[in-house]
Structures are given as structure tokens and as C-alpha cells.
Amino acid sequence: MSVAVNPAAPHDLPVFITGPGDTDLLMVGTGIFLLFAVLGVGLLFLRIHTLPERMAHKSQKLQFEIVAVLGLLALFTHEHIFWVAGLLLALVDLPDWGSPLRRMAGSLEKMAGIAPDAGADAADAVERKGVPEIPAPVDDRERVAERPLKPAEG
């Protein structure tokens, strides 16, 4: 039994209609496009999400770590305020409190006659076995007195 084609129907089918047993090229093309679109949007999302961390990477280590933790909190909790806080923290330069404190600690070690960067070791030794023998501090006035004076010019 053969089916007659209606004379009003077009005799050539459009490209997106496939015959039985043929590969649907439109569906394959749409699937590939969808795969690349999802990957592209995901990469764009992660690139924007790590923006505060990339900005804070140029700053101090502590600031970078805080911004990274805020970014992870924003990623896993879906609370956008953490991301905004991380972005604002990455934009602000925090003052360097460590350098002046290290210089003060070095000066105190010098005044106490402790070798540079050995203050923590000396404190541990005191806790373990009592007060260690510390060499007498060097008096800078003696060094100044030993230097010859330059004759005055003029």
C-alpha cells in the first residue's frame, strides 16, 4: 500500500527535517554549541569569581589570604556579600604594620645584646633552663669615641 503525496505539499523537505535512519545534524550541532556555551559561561564565571584574589595577589600575604577565604566562602555558601567584601578588601591597600614592628624588635634585641632574629630562641631557652648568659650590650658611645674626627672644612 503506497501513500500518495498531497499535491499541495512541498516536494523538497527543509534541511532540518531528516529522513528515517539519518543523523540529525541540527541536533548534533546544537549539542556541540550547548557544550561550548556551558563551558564558556563556566569559565567566565570562575574568571570573574577569582577577580578579587587576582587583584590581592599583588598585595601583602595576609590580605591575599583573607580575600581568598572570602572568595571560597562566597563560592560555597552562595552569599554574594563575601565576594563583595573580598573585592573591596582587594581594592584597599592595608598599611604595613609588620615592618615597623620587626624594626622595633630588632632594636630591642640589639639593646638586650641578643643576636638578630634570635629573640624567640632566647625566650625559649629562658623558659626551658633559666636565664642564659647573654653578652653585655655594646655601647655605641664607645664606638663613637674611637672614631677620629674629621677636620672642619672652611
Side-chain angles (χ1 to χ4, degrees):
M1 169 177 195
S2 67
V3 178
V5 179
N6 188 342
H11 296 290
D12 295 323
L13 295 176
V15 177
F16 58 86
I17 298 178
T18 59
D22 288 340
T23 303
D24 190 357
L25 296 177
L26 182 63
M27 185 181 76
V28 170
T30 304
I32 291 172
F33 173 77
L34 186 63
L35 178 71
F36 283 115
V38 167
L39 286 175
V41 168
L43 288 174
L44 179 67
F45 170 77
L46 290 176
R47 186 89 167 151
I48 291 173
H49 182 76
T50 59
L51 178 67
E53 292 176 41
R54 286 185 281 124
M55 290 172 64
H57 195 335
K58 301 170 193 143
S59 64
Q60 301 169 9
K61 183 177 187 272
L62 178 65
Q63 184 177 3
F64 172 71
E65 288 178 358
I66 292 171
V67 169
V69 167
L70 286 172
L72 286 175
L73 282 173
L75 182 65
F76 292 125
T77 62
H78 301 290
E79 295 291 332
H80 304 298
I81 191 69
F82 292 127
W83 186 85
V84 172
L87 182 63
L88 291 175
L89 184 61
L91 289 172
V92 174
D93 286 333
L94 295 180
D96 182 21
W97 297 101
S99 294
L101 291 176
R102 276 191 292 280
R103 287 181 26 214
M104 283 186 247
S107 297
L108 289 173
E109 287 172 343
K110 183 178 176 183
M111 288 170 48
I114 300 172
D117 296 328
D121 298 334
D124 291 340
V126 168
E127 289 179 7
R128 276 187 262 124
K129 54 185 170 180
V131 179
E133 289 185 24
I134 298 175
V138 177
D139 191 2
D140 287 337
R141 288 178 289 186
E142 293 173 7
R143 290 185 191 161
V144 172
E146 292 172 3
R147 286 189 220 149
L149 295 175
K150 292 183 181 178
E153 295 180 15

